[in-house]
Amino acid sequence: MPPGERVDLIQRVAQELVSRPWTDADLILNEFGLPTTDEWDGDYRPYVVAMLQQGRDDQLVAVHDYLFPDPLEVAHRDVGEGPWQENHLRLFISHVHAHRAAVATLQQALESWGIDGFVAHNDIAPSAEWRDVIDTALMTCDVLVAYLTLDFHHSEWTDQEVGYAMARRRLVIPVRVDVNPYGLMGKYQALACPADRDPVELARLIADMLWRHPPTRPHMAAGRVERFAGSNSFNQARANWERVREIPPELWTDQMKDRLRNGAASNSQISGADYNYQSLPQLVRRLLDELEAEI
């Protein structure tokens, strides 16, 4: 997160916390993994700012989202989980129908990173109420990718989809195929995507961006564990294990640990595989032991 954005975030969160009793502020800080102390002898606001400054970007974003819930998110909590795979990052791909084949290839490449890409023309059954499905996907997605072709702006839907995601304060990733991001979308850094770009490489660039973005990093971590647990071959298990090993201790949840443990025990493509001449199940047990020791 850029320093200026971090300063603004800390100031906004601090202002809200000091409007509450000190004990409530400490409770919130503790629940989100931020420090507190009983030895502070100064004023309330400097205390809160000092505690927040010690937090990671993702912790600050999480506290902010708790204190300032998205009104659209609250209003639509009853829409269900939407058309998504469990434990994957939810990515809506906004595109023009004429480019559905290229976007479907990108969708497939993203899946290997634990990213579930929603492509309306592929994911909606002909009999479904397609507007409702698209609406639900927009309400529940974590990220939106805008596949910017020459005809993107000509669609009556694409600009509305981007605007909806921005109103929900979701990350928008413009993929520049033929045109640059425009309007409010212009504030986002675009990924270049010439016609001959390998979709696997584009998927990797998107995954790298999402891994570096604090609000989406936990979703990416859960997706990596899910992909490893569902590995379909020895080679895939080895490749997925390399990504699991990169997850820092603070992103691990009990659910992720259980999924890792159960996957290693029940998936023969993991239980029968090795990594650098070591048994993968043994490496899984070692990692889980290390995570427990961190607590």
Side-chain angles (χ1 to χ4, degrees):
M1 183 185 301
E5 288 185 17
R6 186 177 166 90
V7 169
D8 291 343
L9 188 61
I10 289 174
Q11 288 179 336
R12 188 173 192 218
V13 170
Q15 184 65 33
E16 176 61 25
L17 285 177
V18 298
S19 70
R20 308 180 183 210
W22 199 315
T23 53
D24 288 358
D26 273 354
L27 171 63
I28 293 169
L29 291 170
N30 279 324
E31 287 301 313
F32 284 90
L34 292 158
T36 58
T37 178
D38 295 327
E39 299 179 359
W40 186 269
D41 59 1
D43 293 335
Y44 187 11
R45 183 181 173 85
Y47 166 81
V48 170
V49 170
M51 298 302 107
L52 290 171
Q53 281 183 295
Q54 299 177 57
R56 302 187 309 273
D57 289 354
D58 60 303
Q59 291 173 309
L60 295 177
V61 170
V63 175
H64 175 275
D65 288 349
Y66 167 73
L67 295 173
F68 303 98
D70 186 340
L72 282 174
E73 200 72 29
V74 172
H76 295 303
R77 278 178 183 163
D78 61 345
V79 299
E81 290 301 302
W84 307 103
Q85 297 183 63
E86 188 178 3
N87 298 326
H88 285 61
L89 182 134
R90 304 167 173 184
L91 185 144
F92 188 105
I93 307 179
S94 182
H95 67 292
V96 176
H97 181 266
H99 305 280
R100 63 190 182 280
V103 171
T105 305
L106 173 61
Q107 176 192 35
Q108 200 169 30
L110 286 167
E111 191 168 348
S112 68
W113 293 93
I115 300 171
D116 187 8
F118 176 83
V119 178
H121 303 292
N122 293 327
D123 294 336
I124 300 176
S127 60
E129 292 294 337
W130 61 274
R131 291 190 186 185
D132 290 343
V133 177
I134 291 175
D135 194 34
T136 300
L138 285 168
M139 289 177 190
T140 53
C141 70
D142 302 311
V143 180
L144 181 139
V145 161
Y147 197 75
L148 296 176
T149 52
L150 282 173
D151 49 357
F152 186 86
H153 191 48
H154 300 163
S155 167
E156 63 178 307
W157 300 105
T158 49
D159 284 346
Q160 293 184 50
E161 291 166 354
V162 172
Y164 198 114
M166 293 182 69
R168 291 186 60 229
R169 299 200 299 271
R170 293 300 181 259
L171 175 66
V172 172
I173 302 177
V175 172
R176 187 179 66 247
V177 182
D178 301 310
V179 295
N180 290 318
Y182 53 85
L184 293 175
M185 186 177 21
K187 70 178 184 179
Y188 295 104
Q189 180 182 358
L191 288 176
C193 180
D196 59 349
R197 163 150 271 173
D198 182 357
V200 174
E201 174 63 13
L202 177 59
R204 185 191 65 79
L205 292 174
I206 292 173
D208 285 347
M209 181 178 291
L210 296 173
W211 184 245
R212 295 193 304 269
H213 186 59
T216 54
R217 194 170 165 88
H219 299 295
M220 291 293 292
R224 290 184 176 201
V225 173
E226 188 65 30
R227 292 301 298 173
F228 175 73
S231 297
N232 293 320
S233 69
F234 292 157
N235 286 337
Q236 193 178 95
R238 295 183 188 102
N240 288 333
W241 173 247
E242 291 182 352
R243 296 172 187 172
V244 167
R245 291 170 62 233
E246 295 174 352
I247 301 174
E250 64 270 15
L251 291 183
W252 282 91
T253 65
D254 290 341
Q255 181 182 3
M256 289 165 59
K257 294 174 188 175
D258 288 343
R259 185 70 178 115
L260 182 68
R261 183 180 296 107
N262 294 336
S266 62
N267 187 337
S268 62
Q269 302 306 311
I270 298 174
S271 60
D274 65 273
Y275 180 85
N276 288 341
Y277 305 105
Q278 298 182 71
S279 161
L280 257 184
Q282 183 178 2
L283 292 174
V284 167
R285 287 193 295 272
R286 186 180 305 165
L287 174 60
L288 290 170
D289 288 343
E290 292 171 357
L291 292 172
E292 291 303 317
E294 292 275 347
I295 298 175

